[in-house]
Amino acid sequence: MTFSKVLIANRGEIALRVIRACKELGLKTVAVYSQADTDAMHVHLADQALCIGPAAPADSYLNQHTILLAAMASGAEAIHPGYGFLSENAMFAEAVEQLGLHFIGPTADAIRTMGDKVAAKRAMLAAGVPCVPGPDSALPNDDAAIFDVAEAIGYPVIVKAAGGGGGRGMRVIHDKSGLLAAVATTREEARRAFGNPALYLEKFLVHPRHIEIQILCDQHGAGVWLGSRDCSMQRRHQKVLEEAPAPGIADMALRAVGERCVEACRQIGYRGVGTFEFLYEAEAFYFIEMNTRLQVEHPVTEEVSGVDIVKAQLLVALGEPLGITQDDIVSVGHAFECRINAEDPFTFVPSPGVLSSWSVPGGHGVRVDSHMRAGADIPPYYDSMIGKLIVRGRDRTEALARMRVALAGFEVEGVKTNLPLHRALFDDAGFIDGGTDIHYLERWLPQRAVT
Ligand code: ADP
């Protein structure tokens, strides 16, 4: 099946990223927007734009019915979901294909399997992908059996919701006294938040890094991995900045895990782009989940691999063969991405409002992916990310220096941003050394020096 007109079921910088890639390929674009986004950049950049409802995400960007109607009305033949919103919704992917349209992403079945963390773990073990120690089956309901599972793993353990996401639905348990209560609370939370009470237990890793592998597969059984990213700088499980490649990990070790990821894709018949997320501790990788979509941090991989991931995603969706093999993928230099959020840099409270000025840095190796411009209104209803600052250097040291200069030259007025946080981080000795664990940022925050 082929298509020539794509509806982008998203907003913000990712909608622009997708619209531009479509245009480069000669594909027509349809934007959808909420009443809060009537003057948003994606509305202006697309060939056509349709309002899909009120500001609240549930009434617009998450409203499957209206988005499908917009696709039919505009004659779009494919839907790109971006990230967030409906991008990992198997029912939506199914509904799109039932209408005879193309969902730019994996099959609904693949989304469903990977959306169930127990099923995902089972599929990964079958493909030889290293996983966190713990059973690849849901936790039984019987108290004695729960104790047995935890004892067999060894404390500390973490109880997680099979249907969990966004860093919710999990609890760490340090010894057996807290086990049953934690399981009961998490089960209730899982039932309410995800509509699925299934839980599983695994070893809690105390000082891991977050390392991920980007993959790209066509519809003909070919796949490649495009390198590694380190996304350990997190606050409340939200990534703050990312880099590629992951520093200080031997190429051989990355290659071994990358090859397993590609093998797993082959076994589950995966198509399109995806990311395997791992915790990394004591030189070992432990799979935690797969994201079956484009990710916010895809640009750092683009910068070091030279592959336009969004264009590649569209081309494989059009049925094109990959046209590259693993030997063609070479990682050159180093890249960082800072997520620029409209929020207080100390309290992290979102800071919506009107941007009175917006002046972005530029120059060699500097890229800004953003939907902002001076005078733009940042509505309070959506994610507070207003752009991404990405830099590339010939090595990590050059990229660090380039990011410092770029951050110093980034001027935003009218709303608060986390730019001061990024500036302080890029002057921090621990971060500069590289290889910090996922708790580093939260330990650092109380004693930081922000300028
Ligand atoms: P979600 O889908 O909610 O993002 P993940 O399984 O990706 O859930 O886990 C989110 C975060 O929780 C991880 O990035 C890590 O910080 C922490 N985490 C998850 N599993 C473990 C584990 N076994 N040991 C230590 N930390 C973990």
Side-chain angles (χ1 to χ4, degrees):
M1 182 176 140
T2 183
F3 53 85
S4 58
K5 196 172 195 180
V6 180
L7 180 143
I8 296 92
N10 216 302
R11 65 183 300 282
E13 67 86 21
I14 198 61
L16 299 186
R17 175 76 187 86
V18 176
I19 293 170
R20 290 183 179 125
C22 286
K23 289 192 168 195
E24 276 188 49
L25 292 172
L27 299 166
K28 289 264 173 281
T29 53
V30 182
V32 292
Y33 61 97
S34 74
Q35 285 164 4
D37 276 339
T38 48
D39 198 27
M41 284 254 284
H42 73 285
V43 175
H44 296 292
L45 199 66
D47 299 309
Q48 209 176 329
L50 292 163
C51 182
I52 48 166
D59 298 329
S60 48
Y61 298 104
L62 286 171
N63 188 336
Q64 302 187 29
H65 184 69
T66 319
I67 291 171
L68 293 173
L69 276 178
M72 302 308 274
S74 61
E77 298 151 310
I79 297 188
H80 193 302
Y83 52 64
F85 294 127
L86 296 168
S87 61
E88 288 180 301
N89 188 313
M91 265 168 44
F92 180 65
E94 218 157 53
V96 170
E97 305 235 316
Q98 272 163 8
L99 281 177
L101 308 179
H102 200 99
F103 180 75
I104 302 178
T107 59
D109 275 351
I111 299 176
R112 204 167 275 129
T113 304
M114 292 304 144
D116 177 334
K117 293 181 176 187
V118 173
K121 195 165 180 174
R122 203 172 299 136
M124 292 306 129
L125 286 170
V129 175
C131 291
V132 183
D136 59 349
S137 52
L139 198 59
N141 240 331
D142 150 341
D143 291 357
I146 295 174
F147 278 119
D148 287 349
V149 174
E151 291 297 331
I153 297 169
Y155 294 94
V157 295
I158 181 166
V159 58
K160 297 166 76 170
R168 292 178 314 146
M170 53 187 131
R171 237 163 226 94
V172 182
I173 301 140
H174 294 279
D175 54 58
K176 69 180 191 191
S177 67
L179 181 63
L180 292 181
V183 167
T185 317
T186 311
R187 205 184 284 286
E188 193 41 42
E189 191 176 288
R191 196 193 316 274
R192 266 186 287 114
F194 315 117
N196 174 6
L199 304 177
Y200 64 109
L201 273 187
E202 63 185 23
K203 181 87 187 160
F204 177 69
L205 303 170
V206 181
H207 296 297
R209 291 168 63 186
H210 175 117
I211 309 292
E212 56 189 37
I213 302 284
Q214 172 76 54
I215 56 95
L216 167 65
C217 302
D218 67 16
Q219 298 186 45
H220 312 284
V224 291
W225 63 283
L226 298 176
S228 63
R229 295 188 282 258
D230 188 326
C231 314
S232 300
M233 278 294 164
Q234 300 182 3
R235 179 181 167 272
R236 301 201 173 159
H237 301 307
Q238 299 294 320
K239 295 165 186 166
V240 171
L241 67 91
E242 303 92 355
E243 60 182 295
I249 303 181
D251 282 349
M252 284 255 291
L254 285 172
R255 196 174 320 137
V257 75
E259 282 168 4
R260 295 331 297 167
C261 295
V262 173
E263 176 55 28
C265 288
R266 210 168 283 139
Q267 288 192 11
I268 59 175
Y270 194 82
R271 65 173 199 214
V273 303
T275 298
F276 287 76
E277 295 194 335
F278 293 90
L279 295 177
Y280 177 83
E281 190 173 77
E283 300 190 6
F285 289 91
Y286 302 97
F287 171 82
I288 45 171
E289 69 166 339
M290 181 181 191
N291 290 319
T292 54
R293 56 171 167 83
L294 190 63
Q295 281 189 291
V296 175
E297 60 270 28
H298 75 274
V300 286
T301 302
E302 295 185 322
E303 293 302 319
V304 294
S305 70
V307 176
D308 182 325
I309 294 175
V310 183
K311 236 160 70 178
Q313 181 186 28
L314 290 163
L315 286 169
V316 297
L318 280 161
E320 301 264 326
L322 261 192
I324 44 170
T325 66
Q326 197 61 52
D327 290 343
D328 298 318
I329 311 295
V330 186
S331 179
V332 178
H334 204 91
F336 287 102
E337 173 183 278
C338 289
R339 298 185 183 204
I340 312 300
N341 297 337
E343 66 187 14
D344 185 293
F346 290 95
T347 63
F348 300 97
V349 172
S351 176
V354 176
L355 274 185
S356 46
S357 86
W358 174 254
S359 172
V360 301
H364 181 54
V366 177
R367 161 177 172 184
V368 178
D369 280 18
S370 171
H371 53 299
M372 289 294 122
R373 59 190 161 176
D377 185 24
I378 303 166
Y381 313 101
Y382 313 111
D383 192 278
S384 61
M385 195 176 77
I386 54 173
K388 309 186 301 206
L389 171 59
I390 302 122
V391 305
R392 166 173 42 85
R394 90 182 148 248
D395 54 28
R396 193 169 186 269
T397 307
E398 186 178 73
L400 281 167
R402 188 161 285 157
M403 182 60 96
R404 259 177 232 121
V405 174
L407 285 166
F410 208 137
E411 287 169 25
V412 182
E413 281 167 34
V415 301
K416 293 181 199 171
T417 73
N418 63 348
L419 279 164
L421 173 74
H422 286 301
R423 291 184 188 121
L425 269 174
F426 275 82
D427 280 335
D428 173 69
F431 173 65
I432 291 169
D433 272 355
T436 50
D437 71 36
I438 57 172
H439 307 295
Y440 186 87
L441 180 59
E442 295 205 11
R443 282 196 305 268
W444 174 88
L445 283 173
Q447 41 91 41
R448 69 181 145 167
V450 171
T451 50

